[in-house]
Amino acid sequence: MTSTLKLGSKIPISEIEGDISEASGMTGFLDDDMTRLSQAGKEAVFNSITVDLSSGVSISNNGAMPFDGWAFITISVWGTGTNSEAHAFINDARVGGVVTGANGSGNNASIFVPVQQGDIFKLALSGSNRSGNCKLYPYKNSQEAA
């Protein structure tokens, strides 16, 4: 069956033939609930996305990530009588920003961001009372594999 769709129209489920597993030739291979994955496989998946907070390295402004992991970025602005801003970027994509006006007392923001080796951390700071830092933590299994 063929249909002519107009912008914004929806395709009825009854017109979709097959499913993703059939389309990819992987029928029965993948499960939504991971029931076919062994316990060791489940642990490997979990460890590959879990952060290891027992060790980490500081990344300077315009610094490259030396390994894959989770970047913990904190930015702050504070004080009255000044306009200050702090913005954090990974590869020129802004991942956080805080601003305080002349009458403001301060703002802080923190975020964990998954990063790859070679990604660049950058800070854009303006005003007199602002700061930012980045600490990179490995995935849990990177320590075990080393």
Side-chain angles (χ1 to χ4, degrees):
M1 169 186 264
T2 60
S3 298
T4 303
L5 297 175
K6 295 180 181 176
L7 187 61
S9 64
K10 297 180 181 179
I11 301 172
I13 294 293
S14 61
E15 290 190 32
I16 299 174
E17 296 179 20
D19 61 24
I20 292 172
S21 64
E22 290 172 358
S24 67
M26 305 280 287
T27 305
F29 184 74
L30 301 174
D31 292 321
D32 291 324
D33 60 4
M34 299 168 64
T35 57
R36 293 180 188 225
L37 194 58
S38 68
Q39 184 61 33
K42 291 174 188 174
E43 289 173 13
V45 169
F46 180 77
N47 288 342
S48 70
I49 60 172
T50 304
V51 64
D52 178 6
L53 293 174
S54 66
S55 63
V57 296
S58 293
I59 306 297
S60 61
N61 191 17
N62 294 311
M65 304 297 164
F67 52 83
D68 294 351
W70 288 94
F72 181 61
I73 300 169
T74 302
I75 48 179
S76 301
V77 292
W78 64 91
T80 58
T82 183
N83 294 321
S84 297
E85 295 184 29
H87 302 277
F89 300 83
I90 298 292
N91 295 334
D92 297 322
R94 190 169 84 163
V95 294
V98 291
V99 177
T100 188
N103 296 324
S105 60
N107 288 303
N108 304 296
S110 297
I111 187 170
F112 267 104
V113 180
V115 294
Q116 294 180 328
Q117 182 177 357
D119 285 350
I120 305 295
F121 166 69
K122 293 181 184 176
L123 283 172
L125 306 172
S126 66
S128 57
N129 300 317
R130 71 289 188 275
S131 69
N133 61 60
C134 176
K135 191 159 186 179
L136 177 62
Y137 295 95
Y139 292 120
K140 186 174 180 183
N141 73 335
S142 15
Q143 294 288 324
E144 296 166 3

